[in-house]
Amino acid sequence: MQMINVHEFARRLSTLGAAVFTSDDIVDLATAVDVRISPDLAIDANLAQRLLDHISPALPVTGAQIAASEWPPPISTRPVAPPMLFSNPGAVDGPAAQPGRPRGSGPARTGRRPDSRRTGR
């Protein structure tokens, strides 16, 4: 299992461009998730993921990627889907809430279209 120290974790987070992180920021983040760490301790993929889950906005890496020996992580050829956030699972407006089409005031239509071939009879 790969592990990195708190200083390296902070450096890697900073390279992602979200913000500049220090080892003190990482210790504070760990305290917020009820984990006691010090700048001398190592972070494994599971702890890295727990810490990443509490960073907002979400970063495009996983705990395993950030704790891996290869950094930066290899670039995937597949596009990354943006995270989806559902703020309110409430009701959706129905058709009654949508504006209707204006109705014309022309002559009433019958069910048949005029046929130009039958006009001579």
Side-chain angles (χ1 to χ4, degrees), residues 31-101:
T31 302
V33 297
D34 294 328
V35 175
R36 291 188 177 267
I37 64 172
S38 71
D40 302 330
L41 294 179
I43 296 175
D44 66 359
N46 293 330
L47 178 55
Q49 189 62 54
R50 285 181 63 191
L51 297 174
L52 289 174
D53 289 344
H54 285 82
I55 295 175
S56 181
L59 297 174
V61 295
T62 64
Q65 288 173 318
I66 204 162
S69 58
E70 182 181 351
W71 185 260
I75 297 173
S76 173
T77 57
R78 295 176 54 187
V80 176
M84 296 185 67
L85 300 174
F86 297 98
S87 60
N88 185 359
V92 176
D93 293 337
Q98 298 175 356
R101 287 190 354 205

